[in-house]
Amino acid sequence: MASTVSDRTGYGRLLRTPGAWTFLLPGFAARQPFAMLTIGIVLLVQHTTVSYGSAGAVAAVTGVSMALFAPQSGKLADRIGQRAVLLPGVLVHAASVSALTALALAEAPLWLLFLAAVPTGASVPQVGPMVRARWAALLGAAPGRKASPLMPTAAAFESVTDELTFVIGPVLATALCTGVHPAAGLVAEAALTLAGGLLFAAQHRTQPAVRATTSVASERHTSALSVAGVRVLAVAFLGIGAVFGGMQVSLTAFAEEIGRPGANGLLYGIFAAGNMLAGIACGAIAWKSGPRRRLIAGYAALTLTASGLWAVHSMPLLAGLGLLVGLSIAPALISGYTLVEALVPASVRTEAFTWLTGAVALGQAAAVTVAGQLADAHGASTGFVVPLVGTVLALVTLVTLRSRLTPRAPGRGSGRTVARGVGHREPVTVD
């Protein structure tokens, strides 16, 4: 099924790509909001309202707002450039988070928190998709240039980076909220967004070229969502969001329930660490199976491991099962992002990535709301049903509509290739 990747196409060579570090370091700081925002809101609003349901609802409004606006942000970045979108975006986000924090501390009515949550979510900078688009611009196929064999390695590397943010972000936010002040997590999130976002926007040399949209060919691709495979992947990524949201709220409620609120950071850190370790492993292996098959296998494993969460009442057992759930997420994420690069043209690549990111945010929003209500009414364990339901629905969708994940035949000859694993590319096929 797999073999080790040679150094010729491994992480070392990828990181020696000219200009890579100029956007990777600021991009890492600027993508923390996606990992810190939900848990920061949950911990602050739960502290001021003493209700996981209210906390989850405010976080959900933020997530829904992000899911609706993220693809529009990606579309604008493709049309007018990443810098033009990021500069006002990070300023609006920092101001919105500050307003939400102040309202929560003032114990404002819930409807005012909802009102502040809308611009907070809408302005979350889509740095992850923008970094992926920069890798694609540097390494992907272009007129007169074949795609680099490092392109799938870059996809794996970006997934590892995403998982690392989900190791650091929630743990950092939890430590700040529980050890410093309930609002400290959101304050740090806003500061990182502002500093990282402005530094990332300043790296204009690696920014993908703005593509004209007036040609007939471009008009056919006015939205990445017009591609059937992107719609299927967006639905599937709702399941990953359900895992993230359900785990954040349920682990927080579980730690409170057993009288050890500080253990939430440790439990979520173990879950996220499994996610990151699996991402590293996926990037170190050249798979002989295609990304579509790996995507379905990843979701099957995710569904299986999530099925036991609700029945576990021991902290060590929950940590162990959470690790297994985390190990199952990265293969699904990496395979999904690898498929996107093959499914859409370069002119809508950033938008396509943001549809998946937005789907994760929407799934997370729904999950924190439902899991919060279940935890309030029936205890922490019932909140863990949410990740299971989300992954089951996603798996059924993928299996039923898997034929939609096949890239269309290229219009220009037979030179189009699809990433099938780290370190190599093969003719159009996804199995």
Side-chain angles (χ1 to χ4, degrees), residues 390-419:
T391 53
V392 166
L393 293 176
L395 179 60
V396 170
T397 299
L398 284 174
V399 172
T400 304
L401 301 176
R402 61 188 181 277
S403 63
R404 306 288 180 89
L405 299 176
T406 303
R408 287 176 294 180
R412 298 177 309 188
S414 57
R416 176 78 179 268
T417 56
V418 176

Side-chain angles (χ1 to χ4, degrees), residues 38 41-42 51-64 110 114 241-242 244-250 361-377 382-383 386:
T38 298
I41 290 173
V42 167
S51 169
Y52 284 108
S54 296
V58 176
V61 172
T62 304
V64 171
L110 199 58
F114 289 157
F244 284 133
M247 292 293 282
Q248 284 181 341
V249 172
S250 301
L362 184 59
Q364 189 174 11
V368 295
T369 303
V370 177
Q373 297 289 345
L374 289 174
D376 277 343
T382 56
V386 175

Side-chain angles (χ1 to χ4, degrees), residues 67-421:
L68 293 175
F69 283 90
Q72 308 313 314
S73 173
K75 186 180 291 187
L76 277 175
D78 284 328
R79 288 181 177 177
I80 66 176
Q82 296 182 0
R83 178 186 175 89
V85 173
L86 269 177
L87 288 177
V90 296
L91 296 174
V92 171
H93 185 74
S96 300
V97 171
S98 299
L100 177 60
T101 303
L103 288 170
L105 290 175
E107 298 185 4
L110 199 58
W111 69 268
L112 273 177
L113 298 183
F114 289 157
L115 195 62
V118 173
T120 296
S123 58
V124 171
Q126 299 304 307
V127 176
M130 289 181 181
V131 172
R132 284 182 166 89
R134 292 190 183 216
W135 279 124
L138 288 172
L139 304 172
R145 184 187 75 189
K146 292 183 178 180
S148 168
L150 288 169
M151 189 61 219
T153 309
F157 179 82
E158 282 308 303
S159 291
V160 171
T161 305
D162 280 340
E163 312 327 324
L164 183 58
T165 65
F166 276 99
V167 172
I168 296 175
V171 174
L172 176 60
T174 300
L176 289 171
C177 289
T178 57
V180 179
H181 188 277
L186 285 182
V187 172
E189 186 268 356
L192 281 171
T193 299
L194 191 59
L198 292 176
L199 286 173
F200 183 82
Q203 311 308 315
H204 55 85
R205 290 186 179 180
T206 54
Q207 177 178 263
V210 177
R211 298 174 181 272
T213 58
T214 56
S215 68
V216 174
S218 296
E219 289 175 359
R220 293 196 193 109
H221 300 289
T222 54
S223 173
L225 206 60
S226 64
V227 179
V230 174
R231 296 196 296 270
V232 173
L233 288 173
V235 172
F237 272 48
L238 290 170
I240 291 178
V243 175
F244 284 133
M247 292 293 282
Q248 284 181 341
V249 172
S250 301
L251 288 175
T252 301
F254 177 83
E256 290 277 356
E257 197 169 83
I258 64 174
R260 298 181 61 184
N264 169 49
L266 174 63
L267 289 171
Y268 194 86
I270 291 172
F271 157 70
N275 200 356
M276 183 184 68
L277 291 173
I280 294 172
C282 286
I285 292 173
W287 298 94
K288 297 186 183 302
S289 59
R292 184 173 66 179
R293 186 173 298 175
R294 296 200 308 274
L295 181 69
I296 294 174
Y299 269 93
L302 189 56
T303 301
L304 180 63
T305 53
S307 64
L309 289 169
W310 65 273
V312 176
H313 302 282
S314 162
M315 184 173 163
L317 287 177
L318 185 58
L321 191 55
L323 178 66
L324 294 178
V325 174
L327 288 170
S328 304
I329 290 178
L333 274 173
I334 292 172
S335 301
Y337 281 119
T338 301
L339 279 170
V340 162
E341 197 272 329
L343 288 168
V344 302
S347 60
V348 294
R349 194 174 280 145
T350 305
E351 183 200 347
F353 288 141
T354 53
W355 275 112
L356 300 194
T357 304
V360 173
L362 184 59
Q364 189 174 11
V368 295
T369 303
V370 177
Q373 297 289 345
L374 289 174
D376 277 343
H378 306 291
S381 295
T382 56
F384 289 115
V385 174
V386 175
L388 173 60
V389 173
T391 53
V392 166
L393 293 176
L395 179 60
V396 170
T397 299
L398 284 174
V399 172
T400 304
L401 301 176
R402 61 188 181 277
S403 63
R404 306 288 180 89
L405 299 176
T406 303
R408 287 176 294 180
R412 298 177 309 188
S414 57
R416 176 78 179 268
T417 56
V418 176
R420 290 197 60 187

